[in-house]
Coordinates of all heavy atoms in Angstrom, one line a residue:
M195 N 85.6 117.4 113.1 CA 85.8 117.3 114.4 C 86.1 115.9 114.8 O 85.2 114.9 114.5 CB 84.7 118.0 115.2 CG 84.9 118.1 116.6 SD 83.5 119.0 117.2 CE 83.5 118.5 118.9
Q196 N 87.1 115.6 115.6 CA 87.4 114.3 116.0 C 86.7 114.0 117.3 O 86.7 114.8 118.3 CB 88.9 114.1 116.2 CG 89.4 112.8 116.6 CD 90.8 112.7 116.8 OE1 91.6 113.6 116.7 NE2 91.3 111.5 117.1
R197 N 86.1 112.8 117.4 CA 85.5 112.4 118.6 C 86.3 111.7 119.6 O 87.3 111.1 119.2 CB 84.3 111.4 118.3 CG 83.2 112.1 117.7 CD 82.1 111.0 117.7 NE 80.8 111.7 117.4 CZ 79.7 111.1 117.1 NH1 79.7 109.8 117.0 NH2 78.5 111.7 116.9
N198 N 86.2 112.0 120.8 CA 86.9 111.3 121.8 C 86.5 109.9 122.0 O 85.3 109.6 122.1 CB 86.8 112.0 123.2 CG 87.8 111.6 124.2 OD1 88.3 110.5 124.1 ND2 87.9 112.3 125.3
C199 N 87.3 108.9 122.1 CA 86.9 107.4 122.2 C 86.2 107.2 123.4 O 85.5 106.3 123.6 CB 88.2 106.6 122.0 SG 88.9 106.7 120.4
L200 N 86.3 107.9 124.4 CA 85.8 107.6 125.8 C 84.5 108.4 125.9 O 83.9 108.3 127.0 CB 86.7 108.1 126.9 CG 88.2 107.3 126.9 CD1 89.1 107.9 128.0 CD2 88.0 105.8 127.2
S201 N 84.0 109.1 124.9 CA 82.8 109.8 125.0 C 81.6 108.9 125.2 O 80.6 109.3 125.5 CB 82.6 110.7 123.8 OG 82.5 109.9 122.7
L202 N 81.7 107.6 124.8 CA 80.6 106.7 125.0 C 80.5 106.0 126.3 O 79.6 105.3 126.5 CB 80.8 105.5 123.8 CG 80.7 106.0 122.4 CD1 80.9 104.8 121.6 CD2 79.3 106.5 122.1
R203 N 81.4 106.3 127.1 CA 81.5 105.6 128.5 C 80.2 106.0 129.3 O 79.7 105.1 129.8 CB 82.7 106.1 129.1 CG 82.9 105.3 130.6 CD 84.3 105.5 131.1 NE 85.2 104.7 130.4 CZ 86.5 104.7 130.8 NH1 86.9 105.5 131.8 NH2 87.4 104.0 130.2
P204 N 79.8 107.3 129.3 CA 78.5 107.4 130.1 C 77.3 106.6 129.5 O 76.5 106.3 130.3 CB 78.2 109.0 130.0 CG 79.5 109.5 129.6 CD 80.3 108.5 128.8
L205 N 77.2 106.4 128.3 CA 76.2 105.6 127.7 C 76.3 104.1 128.1 O 75.2 103.5 128.3 CB 76.2 105.8 126.2 CG 76.0 107.0 125.6 CD1 76.1 107.0 124.1 CD2 74.6 107.6 126.0
L206 N 77.4 103.7 128.3 CA 77.7 102.3 128.6 C 77.6 101.9 130.1 O 77.6 100.8 130.5 CB 79.0 101.8 128.1 CG 79.2 101.9 126.7 CD1 80.6 101.5 126.3 CD2 78.2 101.0 125.9
R207 N 77.5 103.0 131.1 CA 77.4 102.7 132.4 C 76.2 102.1 132.8 O 76.1 101.4 133.8 CB 77.6 104.0 133.1 CG 79.1 104.5 133.1 CD 79.3 105.5 134.1 NE 80.7 105.9 133.8 CZ 81.3 107.0 134.3 NH1 80.7 107.7 135.1 NH2 82.5 107.3 133.9
G208 N 75.2 102.3 132.1 CA 73.9 101.6 132.3 C 73.9 100.1 132.2 O 72.9 99.5 132.7
A209 N 74.9 99.6 131.5 CA 75.0 98.2 131.3 C 75.4 97.4 132.6 O 75.3 96.2 132.5 CB 76.0 97.9 130.2
G210 N 75.7 98.2 133.7 CA 76.0 97.5 134.8 C 77.5 97.0 134.8 O 78.4 97.7 134.3
E211 N 77.8 95.9 135.5 CA 79.2 95.4 135.7 C 79.7 94.7 134.5 O 80.8 94.4 134.4 CB 79.2 94.5 136.9 CG 79.2 95.2 138.2 CD 80.4 96.2 138.3 OE1 81.5 95.8 138.0 OE2 80.1 97.4 138.7
L212 N 78.8 94.4 133.5 CA 79.2 93.6 132.4 C 79.6 94.5 131.2 O 78.9 95.5 131.0 CB 78.0 92.7 131.8 CG 77.6 91.6 132.8 CD1 76.6 90.9 132.2 CD2 78.9 90.7 133.2
G213 N 80.7 94.1 130.6 CA 81.2 95.0 129.6 C 80.8 94.4 128.1 O 79.7 93.8 128.0
L214 N 81.7 94.6 127.2 CA 81.5 94.1 125.8 C 81.3 92.5 125.9 O 82.0 91.7 126.5 CB 82.7 94.4 125.0 CG 82.7 94.2 123.5 CD1 81.5 95.2 123.0 CD2 84.0 94.6 122.9
F215 N 80.4 92.0 125.2 CA 80.0 90.6 125.1 C 79.8 90.0 126.3 O 80.0 88.6 126.6 CB 81.1 89.9 124.3 CG 81.4 90.4 123.0 CD1 82.7 90.9 122.7 CD2 80.5 90.5 122.0 CE1 82.9 91.5 121.4 CE2 80.7 90.9 120.8 CZ 82.1 91.5 120.5
G216 N 79.3 90.7 127.4 CA 79.0 90.1 128.6 C 80.1 89.8 129.6 O 80.0 89.2 130.5
A217 N 81.2 90.2 129.3 CA 82.4 89.9 130.1 C 82.7 91.1 131.1 O 82.4 92.2 130.6 CB 83.6 89.7 129.2
P218 N 83.2 90.8 132.2 CA 83.5 92.0 133.1 C 84.5 93.0 132.5 O 85.3 92.6 131.6 CB 84.1 91.3 134.3 CG 83.8 89.8 134.2 CD 83.6 89.6 132.8
H219 N 84.4 94.3 132.9 CA 85.2 95.3 132.4 C 86.6 95.1 132.7 O 87.6 95.5 131.9 CB 84.9 96.7 133.1 CG 83.6 97.2 132.6 ND1 83.4 97.7 131.2 CD2 82.3 97.4 133.1 CE1 82.2 98.2 131.2 NE2 81.4 98.0 132.3
R220 N 86.9 94.4 133.8 CA 88.4 94.2 134.2 C 89.2 93.3 133.2 O 90.3 93.4 133.2 CB 88.5 93.7 135.6 CG 88.0 92.3 135.8 CD 88.0 91.8 137.1 NE 87.4 90.5 137.4 CZ 86.0 90.3 137.5 NH1 85.2 91.4 137.7 NH2 85.6 89.1 137.6
L221 N 88.4 92.5 132.4 CA 89.1 91.8 131.3 C 89.7 92.6 130.2 O 90.6 92.2 129.5 CB 88.2 90.7 130.8 CG 87.7 89.6 131.8 CD1 86.8 88.7 131.0 CD2 88.9 88.9 132.3
F222 N 89.1 93.8 130.0 CA 89.4 94.7 128.8 C 90.3 95.8 129.3 O 90.8 96.5 128.4 CB 88.2 95.2 128.2 CG 87.4 94.1 127.7 CD1 86.3 93.7 128.3 CD2 87.8 93.5 126.4 CE1 85.5 92.7 127.7 CE2 86.9 92.4 125.9 CZ 85.8 92.1 126.6
R223 N 90.8 95.9 130.5 CA 91.7 97.0 131.0 C 93.0 96.9 130.3 O 93.7 97.8 130.1 CB 91.8 96.9 132.6 CG 90.6 97.2 133.2 CD 90.3 98.7 133.2 NE 89.2 99.0 134.0 CZ 88.3 100.0 133.8 NH1 88.6 100.9 132.8 NH2 87.3 100.2 134.6
N224 N 93.5 95.6 130.0 CA 94.8 95.4 129.4 C 94.8 95.4 127.9 O 95.8 95.2 127.3 CB 95.5 94.3 130.0 CG 95.8 94.4 131.5 OD1 96.1 95.5 131.9 ND2 95.8 93.4 132.2
S225 N 93.7 95.6 127.3 CA 93.5 95.4 125.8 C 94.1 96.6 125.1 O 94.3 97.6 125.6 CB 92.0 95.2 125.5 OG 91.4 96.4 125.6
A226 N 94.4 96.3 123.8 CA 95.1 97.5 123.1 C 94.1 98.5 122.8 O 94.5 99.8 122.8 CB 95.6 96.9 121.8
A227 N 92.8 98.2 122.6 CA 91.7 99.3 122.3 C 91.7 100.2 123.6 O 91.5 101.3 123.4 CB 90.5 98.6 121.9
F228 N 91.6 99.5 124.8 CA 91.5 100.5 125.9 C 92.8 101.3 126.2 O 92.7 102.4 126.6 CB 91.4 99.5 127.1 CG 91.1 100.1 128.5 CD1 89.8 100.7 128.7 CD2 92.1 100.5 129.3 CE1 89.6 101.4 129.8 CE2 91.9 101.3 130.6 CZ 90.5 101.7 130.8
K229 N 94.0 100.7 125.9 CA 95.1 101.5 126.0 C 95.2 102.7 125.0 O 95.6 103.8 125.3 CB 96.4 100.7 125.8 CG 96.6 99.8 127.0 CD 97.9 98.9 126.7 CE 98.0 97.9 127.9 NZ 99.1 96.9 127.6
Y230 N 94.7 102.4 123.8 CA 94.6 103.4 122.8 C 93.6 104.5 123.1 O 93.9 105.8 123.0 CB 94.3 103.0 121.4 CG 93.9 104.1 120.4 CD1 95.0 104.8 119.8 CD2 92.7 104.4 120.1 CE1 94.7 105.8 119.0 CE2 92.3 105.3 119.2 CZ 93.4 106.1 118.6 OH 93.0 107.0 117.8
A231 N 92.5 104.1 123.7 CA 91.5 105.1 124.1 C 92.1 105.9 125.3 O 91.6 107.2 125.2 CB 90.2 104.3 124.6
A232 N 92.8 105.4 126.2 CA 93.3 106.1 127.3 C 94.3 107.1 126.8 O 94.4 108.3 127.2 CB 93.9 105.2 128.3
A233 N 95.2 106.7 125.8 CA 96.2 107.6 125.2 C 95.5 108.7 124.5 O 96.0 109.9 124.5 CB 97.1 106.8 124.4
A234 N 94.4 108.5 123.7 CA 93.8 109.4 123.0 C 93.1 110.4 124.0 O 93.0 111.5 123.6 CB 92.8 108.7 122.1
A235 N 92.7 110.0 125.1 CA 92.0 111.0 126.0 C 93.1 111.9 126.5 O 92.6 113.1 126.9 CB 91.3 110.1 127.1
K236 N 94.3 111.5 126.7 CA 95.4 112.4 127.1 C 95.8 113.4 126.2 O 96.4 114.5 126.5 CB 96.5 111.6 127.6 CG 96.2 110.7 128.8 CD 97.3 109.8 129.2 CE 96.9 108.9 130.3 NZ 98.1 107.9 130.7
T237 N 95.7 113.2 124.9 CA 96.1 114.1 123.9 C 95.1 115.2 123.7 O 94.0 115.0 124.0 CB 96.5 113.4 122.6 OG1 95.3 112.8 122.1 CG2 97.6 112.4 122.9
A238 N 95.6 116.3 123.0 CA 94.7 117.3 122.6 C 93.7 116.9 121.6 O 94.1 116.0 120.8 CB 95.5 118.4 122.2
P239 N 92.5 117.5 121.5 CA 91.5 117.1 120.4 C 92.1 117.3 119.1 O 92.7 118.5 118.8 CB 90.3 117.9 120.7 CG 90.5 118.4 122.1 CD 91.9 118.4 122.5
G240 N 92.0 116.4 118.2 CA 92.5 116.6 116.9 C 94.0 116.2 116.6 O 94.5 116.1 115.5
K241 N 94.7 115.8 117.8 CA 96.0 115.4 117.7 C 96.1 113.9 118.0 O 95.6 113.4 119.0 CB 96.8 116.2 118.6 CG 98.3 115.9 118.5 CD 99.1 117.0 119.3 CE 100.5 116.6 119.3 NZ 101.4 117.3 118.4
L242 N 96.8 113.1 117.1 CA 97.0 111.7 117.4 C 98.2 111.4 118.3 O 99.1 112.2 118.5 CB 97.3 111.0 116.1 CG 96.3 111.1 114.9 CD1 96.7 110.4 113.7 CD2 95.0 110.2 115.5
P243 N 97.9 110.3 119.2 CA 99.2 109.9 119.9 C 100.3 109.5 119.0 O 100.1 109.2 117.9 CB 98.6 108.7 120.6 CG 97.1 108.7 120.5 CD 96.9 109.5 119.4
P244 N 101.5 109.6 119.6 CA 102.7 109.4 118.7 C 102.8 108.0 118.1 O 103.1 108.0 116.9 CB 103.9 109.6 119.6 CG 103.4 110.1 121.0 CD 101.9 110.0 120.8
K245 N 102.3 106.9 118.8 CA 102.3 105.7 118.2 C 101.4 105.5 117.0 O 101.6 104.9 115.9 CB 102.0 104.6 119.2 CG 102.0 103.2 118.7 CD 101.7 102.2 119.8 CE 101.8 100.7 119.3 NZ 101.4 99.8 120.2
M246 N 100.2 106.2 117.3 CA 99.2 106.2 116.1 C 99.6 106.9 114.9 O 99.5 106.5 113.8 CB 97.9 106.7 116.6 CG 96.7 106.4 115.8 SD 96.5 104.6 115.8 CE 95.1 104.5 114.7
A247 N 100.4 108.0 115.1 CA 101.0 108.9 114.0 C 102.0 108.1 113.3 O 102.0 108.1 112.0 CB 101.5 110.0 114.6
K248 N 102.8 107.2 114.0 CA 103.8 106.5 113.3 C 103.1 105.3 112.5 O 103.5 105.1 111.3 CB 104.7 105.8 114.4 CG 105.9 105.1 113.8 CD 106.7 104.4 114.8 CE 107.4 105.3 115.8 NZ 108.1 104.6 116.8
L249 N 102.1 104.6 113.0 CA 101.4 103.7 112.3 C 100.7 104.2 111.0 O 100.6 103.6 110.0 CB 100.3 103.0 113.2 CG 100.8 102.0 114.2 CD1 99.7 101.5 115.1 CD2 101.5 100.8 113.5
R250 N 100.1 105.5 111.2 CA 99.5 106.1 110.0 C 100.5 106.4 108.8 O 100.1 106.1 107.8 CB 98.8 107.4 110.4 CG 98.1 108.2 109.4 CD 97.7 109.5 110.0 NE 96.4 109.8 109.7 CZ 95.8 110.9 110.0 NH1 96.3 111.8 110.8 NH2 94.5 111.2 109.6
Q251 N 101.6 106.9 109.3 CA 102.6 107.2 108.3 C 103.1 105.9 107.5 O 103.3 105.8 106.4 CB 103.8 107.8 109.0 CG 105.0 108.2 108.1 CD 106.1 108.9 108.9 OE1 106.2 108.9 110.1 NE2 106.9 109.5 108.1
R252 N 103.3 104.8 108.3 CA 103.7 103.6 107.8 C 102.7 103.0 106.8 O 103.1 102.5 105.7 CB 104.1 102.5 108.8 CG 104.6 101.3 108.4 CD 105.2 100.4 109.4 NE 104.2 99.3 109.7 CZ 104.3 98.6 110.8 NH1 105.2 98.7 111.6 NH2 103.4 97.6 111.0
F253 N 101.4 102.9 107.2 CA 100.3 102.4 106.4 C 100.0 103.2 105.2 O 99.4 102.7 104.2 CB 99.2 101.9 107.2 CG 99.5 100.6 108.0 CD1 99.9 100.6 109.3 CD2 99.3 99.4 107.4 CE1 100.2 99.5 109.9 CE2 99.5 98.2 108.0 CZ 99.9 98.3 109.3
Q254 N 100.2 104.5 105.3 CA 99.8 105.3 104.2 C 101.0 105.8 103.2 O 100.8 106.5 102.3 CB 99.2 106.6 104.7 CG 97.8 106.4 105.3 CD 97.2 107.8 105.8 OE1 97.8 108.8 105.8 NE2 96.0 107.6 106.2
A255 N 102.2 105.1 103.4 CA 103.2 105.3 102.6 C 103.0 104.8 101.1 O 102.3 103.8 101.0 CB 104.5 104.6 103.2
D256 N 103.4 105.4 100.2 CA 103.3 105.1 98.7 C 104.4 104.3 98.3 O 105.3 104.7 97.7 CB 103.0 106.3 97.9 CG 102.7 105.9 96.6 OD1 102.1 104.9 96.4 OD2 102.9 106.8 95.6
N257 N 104.3 103.0 98.7 CA 105.4 102.0 98.3 C 104.9 100.9 97.4 O 105.6 99.7 97.4 CB 106.1 101.5 99.6 CG 105.2 101.0 100.6 OD1 104.1 100.8 100.3 ND2 105.7 100.6 101.7
D258 N 103.8 101.0 96.8 CA 103.3 100.0 95.8 C 102.9 98.6 96.6 O 103.0 97.6 95.8 CB 104.1 99.9 94.6 CG 104.2 101.1 93.8 OD1 103.2 101.8 93.8 OD2 105.1 101.3 93.1
L259 N 102.8 98.5 97.9 CA 102.4 97.4 98.6 C 100.9 97.4 98.8 O 100.3 98.6 99.2 CB 103.1 97.3 99.9 CG 104.5 96.8 99.7 CD1 105.1 96.7 101.2 CD2 104.6 95.2 99.2
P260 N 100.2 96.3 98.8 CA 98.8 96.4 99.2 C 98.7 96.6 100.7 O 99.6 96.2 101.3 CB 98.3 95.0 98.7 CG 99.4 94.2 98.3 CD 100.6 95.0 98.0
I261 N 97.5 97.0 101.2 CA 97.4 97.3 102.6 C 97.7 96.2 103.4 O 98.2 96.3 104.5 CB 96.1 98.0 102.9 CG1 96.0 98.6 104.3 CG2 95.0 97.1 102.6 CD1 96.9 99.7 104.5
F262 N 97.3 94.9 103.0 CA 97.4 93.7 103.9 C 98.8 93.2 103.9 O 99.1 92.3 104.7 CB 96.6 92.7 103.4 CG 96.6 92.4 101.9 CD1 97.5 91.4 101.4 CD2 95.7 92.9 101.0 CE1 97.5 91.1 100.1 CE2 95.8 92.6 99.7 CZ 96.7 91.7 99.2
L263 N 99.8 93.8 103.2 CA 101.1 93.4 103.3 C 102.0 94.4 104.0 O 103.2 94.4 104.1 CB 101.7 93.1 102.0 CG 101.2 91.8 101.4 CD1 101.8 91.6 100.0 CD2 101.4 90.6 102.2
K264 N 101.5 95.7 104.4 CA 102.2 96.7 104.8 C 102.7 96.5 106.3 O 103.4 97.3 106.9 CB 101.5 98.0 104.6 CG 101.5 98.6 103.3 CD 101.0 100.0 103.2 CE 101.0 100.4 101.8 NZ 100.7 101.9 101.6
G265 N 102.2 95.5 107.0 CA 102.5 95.3 108.4 C 103.8 94.7 108.6 O 104.2 94.6 109.7
G266 N 104.4 94.2 107.5 CA 106.0 93.7 107.7 C 105.9 92.1 107.3 O 105.0 91.7 106.6
S267 N 107.0 91.6 107.8 CA 107.3 90.1 107.4 C 106.2 89.2 107.9 O 105.7 88.2 107.2 CB 108.6 89.7 107.9 OG 108.6 89.8 109.2
M268 N 105.6 89.5 109.0 CA 104.6 88.6 109.6 C 103.2 88.6 108.8 O 102.7 87.5 108.5 CB 104.2 88.9 111.1 CG 103.5 87.7 111.7 SD 104.5 86.4 111.9 CE 103.3 85.2 112.5
D269 N 103.0 89.7 108.2 CA 101.8 89.8 107.3 C 102.1 89.0 106.1 O 101.2 88.4 105.5 CB 101.5 91.3 106.9 CG 100.7 92.0 108.0 OD1 100.2 91.2 108.9 OD2 100.6 93.2 107.9
N270 N 103.3 89.1 105.5 CA 103.7 88.3 104.2 C 103.5 86.9 104.6 O 103.0 86.1 103.7 CB 105.1 88.8 103.9 CG 105.3 88.5 102.4 OD1 104.5 87.9 101.8 ND2 106.4 88.8 102.0
I271 N 104.0 86.4 105.8 CA 104.0 85.0 106.1 C 102.5 84.6 106.2 O 102.1 83.5 105.6 CB 104.8 84.6 107.3 CG1 106.2 85.0 107.1 CG2 104.5 83.3 107.9 CD1 107.1 85.0 108.4
L272 N 101.7 85.3 106.8 CA 100.2 84.9 107.0 C 99.5 84.9 105.7 O 98.7 84.1 105.4 CB 99.7 85.9 108.0 CG 100.0 85.6 109.5 CD1 99.4 86.8 110.3 CD2 99.7 84.3 110.0
Y273 N 99.9 85.9 104.8 CA 99.2 85.9 103.5 C 99.6 84.7 102.7 O 98.8 84.1 102.2 CB 99.7 87.3 102.7 CG 99.3 87.3 101.3 CD1 98.0 87.6 101.0 CD2 100.2 87.2 100.3 CE1 97.7 87.7 99.8 CE2 99.9 87.3 99.0 CZ 98.5 87.5 98.7 OH 98.1 87.7 97.4
R274 N 100.9 84.3 102.7 CA 101.3 83.2 101.9 C 100.8 81.8 102.5 O 100.3 81.0 101.8 CB 102.8 83.0 101.8 CG 103.4 84.2 100.8 CD 104.7 84.2 100.8 NE 105.2 85.4 100.1 CZ 105.4 85.7 98.9 NH1 104.9 84.7 98.0 NH2 105.8 86.9 98.4
L275 N 100.8 81.8 103.8 CA 100.3 80.6 104.5 C 98.7 80.4 104.2 O 98.2 79.3 103.9 CB 100.4 80.7 105.9 CG 99.8 79.5 106.9 CD1 100.7 78.3 106.6 CD2 100.0 79.8 108.3
T276 N 98.0 81.6 104.2 CA 96.6 81.5 103.8 C 96.4 81.0 102.4 O 95.5 80.2 102.2 CB 95.9 82.9 103.9 OG1 96.1 83.3 105.3 CG2 94.5 82.9 103.6
W277 N 97.2 81.4 101.3 CA 97.1 80.9 100.0 C 97.3 79.4 100.1 O 96.6 78.6 99.3 CB 98.0 81.6 99.2 CG 97.3 82.9 98.6 CD1 97.7 84.1 98.9 CD2 96.3 82.9 97.6 NE1 96.8 85.0 98.2 CE2 96.0 84.3 97.4 CE3 95.7 82.0 96.8 CZ2 95.1 84.7 96.4 CZ3 94.8 82.4 95.9 CH2 94.4 83.7 95.7
V278 N 98.3 79.0 100.7 CA 98.7 77.6 100.7 C 97.6 76.7 101.3 O 97.3 75.7 100.8 CB 100.1 77.3 101.5 CG1 100.3 75.8 101.7 CG2 101.2 77.9 100.6
L279 N 97.1 77.1 102.4 CA 96.0 76.4 103.1 C 94.8 76.4 102.1 O 94.0 75.2 102.1 CB 95.6 76.9 104.5 CG 96.8 76.7 105.4 CD1 96.4 77.4 106.7 CD2 97.1 75.2 105.8
C280 N 94.5 77.4 101.5 CA 93.3 77.4 100.6 C 93.5 76.4 99.4 O 92.6 75.6 99.1 CB 93.1 78.8 100.0 SG 92.4 79.9 101.3
F281 N 94.7 76.4 98.8 CA 95.0 75.6 97.7 C 94.9 74.1 98.2 O 94.4 73.3 97.6 CB 96.2 75.8 97.1 CG 96.1 77.0 96.1 CD1 96.9 78.1 96.2 CD2 95.2 77.0 95.1 CE1 96.8 79.1 95.4 CE2 95.0 78.1 94.1 CZ 95.8 79.1 94.4
L282 N 95.5 73.8 99.4 CA 95.5 72.5 100.0 C 94.0 72.0 100.2 O 93.6 70.8 100.0 CB 96.2 72.3 101.2 CG 97.7 72.3 101.1 CD1 98.5 72.4 102.4 CD2 98.3 71.1 100.3
G283 N 93.2 72.8 100.7 CA 91.8 72.6 101.0 C 91.0 72.3 99.6 O 90.2 71.4 99.7
L284 N 91.2 73.1 98.6 CA 90.7 72.9 97.4 C 91.2 71.6 96.7 O 90.2 70.9 96.2 CB 91.1 74.1 96.4 CG 90.3 74.1 95.0 CD1 88.8 74.1 95.3 CD2 90.9 75.3 94.2
A285 N 92.5 71.3 96.9 CA 93.0 70.1 96.3 C 92.4 68.8 97.1 O 92.0 67.8 96.4 CB 94.6 70.0 96.4
G286 N 92.2 69.0 98.3 CA 91.5 67.9 99.1 C 90.1 67.6 98.8 O 89.7 66.6 98.7
D287 N 89.4 68.8 98.4 CA 88.0 68.8 98.1 C 87.9 68.0 96.8 O 87.1 67.1 96.5 CB 87.4 70.1 98.0 CG 85.9 70.2 97.9 OD1 85.3 69.2 98.5 OD2 85.4 70.9 97.2
L288 N 88.7 68.4 95.8 CA 88.7 67.8 94.5 C 89.1 66.3 94.6 O 88.5 65.5 93.8 CB 89.7 68.6 93.6 CG 89.3 69.9 93.2 CD1 90.4 70.7 92.4 CD2 88.0 69.9 92.4
W289 N 90.1 65.9 95.4 CA 90.5 64.5 95.4 C 89.3 63.7 96.1 O 88.9 62.6 95.7 CB 91.6 64.4 96.4 CG 92.1 63.1 96.7 CD1 91.8 62.3 97.8 CD2 93.1 62.4 95.9 NE1 92.4 61.1 97.6 CE2 93.2 61.1 96.6 CE3 93.7 62.8 94.9 CZ2 94.1 60.2 96.1 CZ3 94.7 61.8 94.4 CH2 94.7 60.5 95.0
L290 N 88.5 64.4 97.0 CA 87.4 63.7 97.6 C 86.2 63.4 96.5 O 85.7 62.4 96.5 CB 86.8 64.5 98.7 CG 85.6 64.0 99.5 CD1 86.0 62.7 100.4 CD2 84.9 65.1 100.3
W291 N 85.9 64.6 95.8 CA 84.9 64.4 94.8 C 85.4 63.5 93.7 O 84.5 62.7 93.2 CB 84.5 65.8 94.3 CG 83.6 66.5 95.2 CD1 83.9 67.5 96.1 CD2 82.2 66.3 95.3 NE1 82.9 67.9 96.7 CE2 81.7 67.2 96.3 CE3 81.3 65.5 94.7 CZ2 80.5 67.2 96.7 CZ3 80.0 65.5 95.1 CH2 79.6 66.4 96.1
A292 N 86.6 63.5 93.3 CA 87.1 62.6 92.2 C 87.0 61.1 92.7 O 86.6 60.2 91.9 CB 88.5 62.8 91.8
G293 N 87.2 60.8 94.1 CA 87.0 59.6 94.6 C 85.6 59.1 94.5 O 85.3 57.9 94.2
Y294 N 84.6 60.0 94.7 CA 83.2 59.6 94.6 C 82.8 59.4 93.2 O 82.0 58.4 93.0 CB 82.3 60.8 95.2 CG 82.2 60.7 96.7 CD1 82.4 61.9 97.5 CD2 82.0 59.6 97.4 CE1 82.3 61.8 98.8 CE2 81.9 59.6 98.8 CZ 82.1 60.8 99.5 OH 82.0 60.7 100.9
I295 N 83.3 60.1 92.3 CA 82.9 60.0 90.9 C 83.4 58.8 90.2 O 82.8 58.1 89.6 CB 83.2 61.2 90.2 CG1 82.4 62.5 90.7 CG2 83.0 61.1 88.6 CD1 82.8 63.8 90.1
I296 N 84.7 58.6 90.5 CA 85.5 57.5 89.8 C 85.1 56.1 90.5 O 84.9 55.1 89.8 CB 87.0 57.7 89.8 CG1 87.2 58.8 89.0 CG2 87.8 56.4 89.5 CD1 88.8 59.4 89.0
A297 N 85.0 56.1 91.7 CA 84.7 54.9 92.5 C 83.3 54.4 92.4 O 82.4 54.3 92.2 CB 85.2 54.9 93.9

């Protein structure tokens, strides 16, 4: 049985005017999570919104890609940039330690 994302709202009303992390609720009205929860509330129980169904189909496709690269070209760029920055940090660390040992 699928739960409605907005079913926790009555429990959170006791928190007063402050929302998640102590920020006012109005800051989160335009967030993606709030929009998804509103769209999920409008659909029938057990049925996904169309955008969510499309994302589910894309990320569960059997195309031999790891999950962290299925988001498209931006995921690929961020993945490679992360590796480059890790190797640069490691090289800088080795350079620093080599300077202490040799000098």
Side-chain angles (χ1 to χ4, degrees):
M195 183 171 156
Q196 183 181 2
R197 284 188 165 170
N198 188 345
C199 295
L200 298 176
S201 64
L202 295 177
R203 190 173 279 184
L205 297 175
L206 297 175
R207 288 198 184 170
E211 286 298 315
L212 295 179
L214 191 62
F215 303 118
H219 287 291
R220 64 183 175 275
L221 293 178
F222 297 103
R223 293 282 184 209
N224 294 327
S225 70
F228 186 81
K229 289 178 183 176
Y230 170 72
K236 292 178 185 174
T237 60
K241 185 168 172 106
L242 291 175
K245 183 178 179 182
M246 196 65 183
K248 188 187 297 184
L249 284 173
R250 179 190 226 178
Q251 183 180 12
R252 185 169 102 191
F253 280 95
Q254 290 185 351
D256 189 18
N257 54 5
D258 294 333
L259 281 176
I261 190 69
F262 50 86
L263 293 178
K264 286 189 179 187
S267 61
M268 195 61 186
D269 278 352
N270 200 354
I271 291 170
L272 289 173
Y273 173 71
R274 292 178 191 277
L275 180 66
T276 302
W277 273 105
V278 167
L279 291 176
C280 286
F281 281 122
L282 287 176
L284 186 60
D287 192 37
L288 291 175
W289 181 267
L290 179 73
W291 281 101
Y294 279 132
I295 294 171
I296 295 172

